[in-house]
């Protein structure tokens, strides 16, 4: 069954607590766009069949979240450069010729949150990226495009950090190491946490004195309470220690722009979501 309704969805597992339907509904109201955006629980095994059916039935675009970003990357026939290098796709967009483009808006969402919402430029800065998994890979190209002085990737499994750095070295100054080696590279102006440690309330084993004076900490994860890494940043004297709520809204805005050609205002949506979590 095809329909003229502009249908969008987020696929993932688990998906019940996803804020994406809310965010896109707010964007649609704000910009006067007529669309429907739903959340659908889709396992890795179901992904290909469900995505194909979604587009065959007239769906216009998808967001993909855990654990589907790598599968969406493999499924998309053509991809943007940032998605290609990320080896992960969070946005699928139906094209005029009927094909589906894969993109990754996570990194530019992070950069926009830092730069536009918080006035934190990455250009010429010394940046520490914690973690060498999918989340780090997904944001590296947009970070390097800001021309930082250097990006040091630190990871528990050192080899993964070294390998990830090697894949991006043609895009800028980037190297990989273990947490214990970090003291040789300090201080850092910006420390980004892209490990999944936050999700279980843990912290990577970080040496003291990593953060420069006037330094900034940013956790890609977010929650109703400050994450362990956000608290660590404050203890280290960060002038700002932020979580990833702004990045979530910004990556959604970029997807909305790709689909609808209209860029929504993000600050009112960020303010609303922030107010809701502090009132819990
Ligand atoms: P994601 O897609 O969220 O990046 P992932 O690809 O599984 O998930 O990567 C998780 C990252 O968090 C990895 O860099 C992992 O380190 P390892 O490569 O050594 O496994 C890191 N990580 C997870 N828990 C951690 C912890 N408690 N301390 C430090 N690093 C941790």
């Amino acid at each position: 069954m095809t329909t003229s309704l502009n249908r969008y969805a987020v696929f993932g597992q688990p998906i019940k607590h996803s804020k994406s339907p809310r965010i896109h509904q707010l964007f649609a109201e704000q910009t006067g766009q007529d669309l429907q955006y739903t959340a659908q629980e889709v396992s890795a095994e179901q992904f290909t069949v469900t995505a194909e059916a979604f587009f065959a039935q007239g769906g216009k675009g998808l967001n993909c979240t855990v654990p589907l970003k790598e599968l969406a990357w493999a499924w998309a026939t053509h991809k943007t450069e940032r998605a290609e290098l990320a080896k992960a796709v969070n946005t699928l967009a139906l094209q005029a010729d009927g094909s589906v483009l894969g993109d990754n808006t996570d990194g530019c969402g992070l950069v926009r949150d830092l730069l536009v919402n918080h006035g934190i430029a990455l250009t010429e800065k010394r940046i520490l990226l914690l973690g060498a998994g999918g989340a780090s890979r997904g944001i590296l190209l947009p970070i390097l495009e800001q021309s930082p002085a250097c990006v040091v990737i630190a990871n528990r499994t050192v080899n993964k950090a070294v390998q990830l750095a090697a894949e991006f070295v043609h895009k800028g100054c980037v190297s990989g190491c273990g947490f214990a080696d970090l003291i040789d590279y300090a201080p850092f102006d910006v420390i980004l946490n892209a490990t999944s440690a936050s999700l279980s309330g843990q912290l990577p084993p970080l040496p003291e004195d990593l953060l420069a004076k006037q330094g900034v900490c940013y956790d890609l994860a977010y929650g109703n309470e400050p994450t362990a890494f956000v608290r660590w940043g404050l203890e280290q004297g960060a002038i700002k220690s932020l979580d990833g709520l702004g990045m979530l809204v910004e990556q959604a805005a970029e997807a909305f722009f790709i689909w609808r050609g209209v860029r929504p205002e993000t600050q009112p949506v960020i303010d609303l979501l922030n107010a809701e979590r502090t009132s819990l």
Side-chain angles (χ1 to χ4, degrees):
M1 180 199 65
T2 56
T3 157
S4 60
L5 186 67
N6 295 309
R7 284 198 305 122
Y8 299 86
V10 57
F11 286 1
Q13 190 177 49
I15 204 66
K16 217 169 70 198
H17 297 293
S18 170
K19 294 186 192 297
S20 293
R22 181 92 198 289
I23 293 170
H24 282 281
Q25 188 202 339
L26 289 165
F27 287 164
E29 282 166 16
Q30 184 203 98
T31 58
Q33 296 280 306
D34 185 19
L35 60 86
Q36 180 198 69
Y37 186 110
T38 55
Q40 200 172 327
E41 179 102 10
V42 177
S43 69
E45 293 70 34
Q46 295 164 324
F47 173 72
T48 302
V49 168
T50 317
E52 272 165 14
F54 178 83
F55 285 107
Q57 289 165 13
K60 299 276 171 63
L62 282 178
N63 283 138
C64 299
T65 185
V66 179
L68 307 174
K69 290 184 186 182
E70 287 80 11
L71 289 169
W73 179 84
W75 183 74
T77 40
H78 47 284
K79 283 157 275 212
T80 59
E81 187 192 19
R82 63 190 182 188
E84 196 65 73
L85 278 174
K87 292 193 177 155
V89 156
N90 76 339
T91 302
L92 291 163
L94 183 70
Q95 305 295 287
D97 66 0
S99 65
V100 176
L101 177 71
D103 202 350
N104 190 316
T105 65
D106 285 334
C108 85
L110 168 71
V111 170
R112 278 188 79 92
D113 191 36
L114 281 167
L115 196 61
V116 181
N117 300 336
H118 296 286
I120 300 161
L122 300 181
T123 310
E124 300 290 316
K125 297 287 172 59
R126 297 179 57 78
I127 296 172
L128 169 57
L129 176 58
L130 303 171
S136 289
R137 178 186 289 283
I139 60 173
L140 258 171
L141 182 61
I143 290 173
L144 289 169
E145 284 174 345
Q146 295 297 305
S147 304
C150 68
V151 176
V152 176
I153 306 169
N155 198 45
R156 184 170 58 182
T157 313
V158 180
N159 196 31
K160 276 173 67 180
V162 173
Q163 273 182 11
L164 186 58
E167 278 181 58
F168 283 84
V169 80
H170 63 295
K171 291 292 179 186
C173 174
V174 53
S175 59
C177 67
F179 295 123
D181 311 316
L182 278 174
I183 218 67
D184 298 336
Y185 295 92
F188 295 99
D189 303 302
V190 179
I191 305 183
L192 306 167
N193 181 30
T195 70
S196 50
S198 276
L199 303 175
S200 48
Q202 292 177 311
L203 263 184
L206 298 172
E208 292 289 312
D209 299 326
L210 287 183
L211 192 65
K213 272 206 179 89
Q214 310 287 313
V216 169
C217 289
Y218 194 105
D219 198 341
L220 271 64
Y222 63 89
N224 289 328
E225 301 296 330
T227 66
F229 179 75
V230 167
R231 292 198 305 272
W232 178 86
L234 293 171
E235 284 160 21
Q236 300 297 310
I239 52 162
K240 287 192 182 185
S241 194
L242 305 163
D243 76 8
L245 187 76
M247 173 181 169
L248 174 79
V249 175
E250 292 296 343
Q251 64 76 32
E254 185 72 13
F256 192 92
F257 177 70
I258 290 165
W259 293 330
R260 308 300 304 168
V262 181
R263 195 173 282 284
E265 267 193 59
T266 48
Q267 199 58 56
V269 177
I270 294 171
D271 290 346
L272 187 70
L273 295 181
N274 261 325
E276 283 175 1
R277 63 178 175 171
T278 51
S279 70
L280 283 175

